[in-house]
Amino acid sequence: MSDIPRNGSVEDAFTEVAKAFEANFASGAEVGAGVCVYHRGRPVVNLWAGTASENADDLWRPETLGLLASPTKALVTVSALLLVERGLLELDTPVAEYWPEFAAGGKEHITLRMVLSHRSGVVCLDHAPITNEAMRAHTPIAEALAAARPEWEPDTAHGYHGITFGYLVSELVRRRTGLTVGRFFAREIAGPLGLDCYIGVPDPDAVHVATMFQSKAEALFAGDDIDLASFIDTASLTYRSMMGSLALDGGVVELVAEDPSYGARASAPSLARFMAALIGEVDGIRLLSPATLAELTRPHSEGHCLVTLTQCNWGLGFQVPDHPVFPASAGLDTAFGLSAATGSYIFADPEYDIAFGYMQNAGSPVMGSLDERPRRLIEAVYRSVGKFDTASSGA
């Protein structure tokens, strides 16, 4: 082991993960971070190190919350699938049967399955960009979605529903339960599992939140798979569906606000525990049935994404292999999960019965490919369960 300071525990069979975690700090790439791995329904790695902010005394803790970003959609997806299992939603019933106003603008045949697989075409809110006030009220965003038009014929192609995904699902959940998806997730998933995981933090004074350090744009867009022009061309679908659909005060989501597309806050142990409960029992709790899990992991959208202009493969709400940010080459060929533009990462692999949560606050050095920090950790996890031999190490 190196002399990089860290806290936590790791079982002997998973010491490769500890070495990779320390290597990330030794390289200077981390400020503060946590990583947790579950194997066969119990934690085998739970490590944390570094600082949660610029204050050297503000140390990272096991319960430290980081900004989840895109993997927020995993929490939202599972909430919707729980309602499918309970008979309150159906994957192939038109959304408009639950939400009649949504039928406007050629959306009458769009289903929950199309939304979860990024195939609905409802990706832009540039006609009514999301404000902090609208986020607090929820209803104005639902009204804007009801008025939106699909950007392509639904179910004929796929494009990342970066901004709209969580709000579409949240309104469906509200129509069927009376609760926004953040409140439903808190009551039905986070509470029973004991997760430090929130879509909207109810009491900011009761949690320890990491300061997220933003990556420099010139570095972030340096990946070979990113088309920079599409992100700055205000007429492009990429811009309209992402930056053009937001008008937040100071560009910041309030900690207490529900942003079900990007704004969840979570700790690494809670993320791993959540993912473990998707593939098996965790302390007697299993979130989804094997049949639902099989449907979730089945590829629904493959190839060129009309929004990110990259190659992306999706199941229901989760990335599936193979594409640059979820590559089979890292061992993920039998896994599903979600990567964050911030650099954090979650995945579960039913074949090897492992679940993984990685949270950090240094930001990502690049978009469009797998950051070396999670790659080191992921490959170390798979070496630990025997999928890779040590000689093939990338750590």
Side-chain angles (χ1 to χ4, degrees):
M1 296 292 181
S2 72
D3 60 357
I4 301 299
R6 65 169 172 82
N7 298 284
S9 61
V10 56
E11 293 195 354
D12 289 345
F14 288 84
T15 56
E16 288 280 347
V17 182
K19 292 177 183 178
F21 187 65
E22 292 169 357
N24 285 343
F25 277 89
S27 71
E30 297 284 30
V31 176
V35 63
C36 185
V37 180
Y38 272 61
H39 186 223
R40 298 172 181 166
R42 62 184 188 86
V44 293
V45 175
N46 187 15
L47 300 171
W48 62 94
T51 59
S53 69
E54 293 178 331
N55 180 353
D57 295 327
D58 185 17
L59 299 180
W60 198 277
R61 309 170 192 170
E63 74 276 13
T64 295
L65 305 180
L67 179 63
L68 194 49
S70 295
T72 299
K73 297 174 178 66
L75 317 183
V76 170
T77 294
V78 175
S79 298
L81 291 178
L82 278 181
L83 292 182
V84 170
E85 291 200 338
R86 296 173 185 179
L88 292 175
L89 289 173
E90 293 183 1
L91 285 170
D92 298 310
T93 294
V95 168
E97 290 200 15
Y98 310 111
W99 178 6
E101 300 91 331
F102 186 75
K107 304 192 299 297
E108 63 272 15
H109 300 303
I110 290 174
T111 64
L112 175 59
R113 187 188 300 274
M114 294 178 201
V115 172
L116 296 181
S117 56
H118 298 268
R119 303 183 66 84
S120 80
V122 184
V123 296
C124 292
L125 285 176
D126 55 331
H127 61 285
I130 294 173
T131 63
N132 296 83
E133 182 180 0
M135 195 178 294
R136 288 191 292 269
H138 181 83
T139 303
I141 302 175
E143 292 172 348
L145 288 167
R149 300 187 66 85
E151 298 297 326
W152 61 85
E153 184 179 346
D155 209 28
T156 62
H158 73 97
Y160 185 47
H161 292 35
I163 301 298
T164 59
F165 186 100
Y167 295 99
L168 287 165
V169 175
S170 187
E171 181 62 10
L172 273 174
V173 171
R174 191 184 71 83
R175 296 268 171 158
R176 302 304 287 158
T177 69
L179 301 171
T180 60
V181 74
R183 293 179 180 178
F184 179 85
F185 177 84
R187 188 181 75 179
E188 301 293 332
I189 298 175
L193 280 169
L195 304 181
D196 297 313
C197 193
Y198 308 90
I199 307 173
V201 177
D203 183 1
D205 293 330
V207 296
H208 185 235
V209 181
T211 298
M212 299 303 294
F213 298 94
Q214 297 298 317
S215 305
K216 293 182 179 179
E218 61 269 23
L220 197 60
F221 292 113
D224 293 338
D225 296 291
I226 291 294
D227 179 0
L228 176 58
S230 67
F231 279 85
I232 60 177
D233 178 2
T234 58
S236 73
L237 183 58
T238 304
Y239 184 93
R240 291 176 51 234
S241 67
M242 305 288 273
M243 291 74 80
S245 292
L246 292 172
L248 302 178
D249 301 337
V252 177
V253 175
E254 298 167 342
L255 193 60
V256 297
E258 280 196 28
D259 175 2
S261 290
Y262 282 109
R265 308 279 177 155
S267 68
S270 289
L271 293 173
R273 186 172 176 85
F274 168 74
M275 295 300 289
L278 297 182
I279 60 175
E281 285 195 3
V282 175
D283 294 334
I285 297 174
R286 177 165 183 160
L287 292 174
L288 299 178
S289 69
T292 300
L293 180 65
E295 193 64 14
L296 180 157
T297 57
R298 179 175 68 83
H300 281 68
S301 299
E302 299 177 278
H304 182 70
C305 171
L306 296 182
V307 171
T308 65
L309 307 182
T310 62
Q311 300 298 110
C312 300
N313 296 341
W314 292 96
L316 292 178
F318 287 84
Q319 293 166 332
V320 294
D322 183 32
H323 53 84
V325 297
F326 206 82
S329 62
L332 296 166
D333 52 299
T334 52
F336 64 97
L338 271 166
S339 60
T342 56
S344 301
Y345 215 91
I346 60 173
F347 79 86
D349 190 327
E351 183 166 327
Y352 290 86
D353 205 353
I354 52 177
F356 174 93
Y358 164 65
M359 178 59 70
Q360 49 74 50
N361 64 344
S364 177
V366 68
M367 286 178 64
S369 60
L370 179 57
D371 179 356
E372 282 304 308
R373 292 169 301 164
R375 179 182 278 275
R376 284 192 188 101
L377 295 168
I378 292 165
E379 291 184 351
V381 169
Y382 279 114
R383 286 197 303 274
S384 299
V385 296
K387 187 169 186 176
F388 294 150
D389 61 33
T390 305
S392 66
S393 170

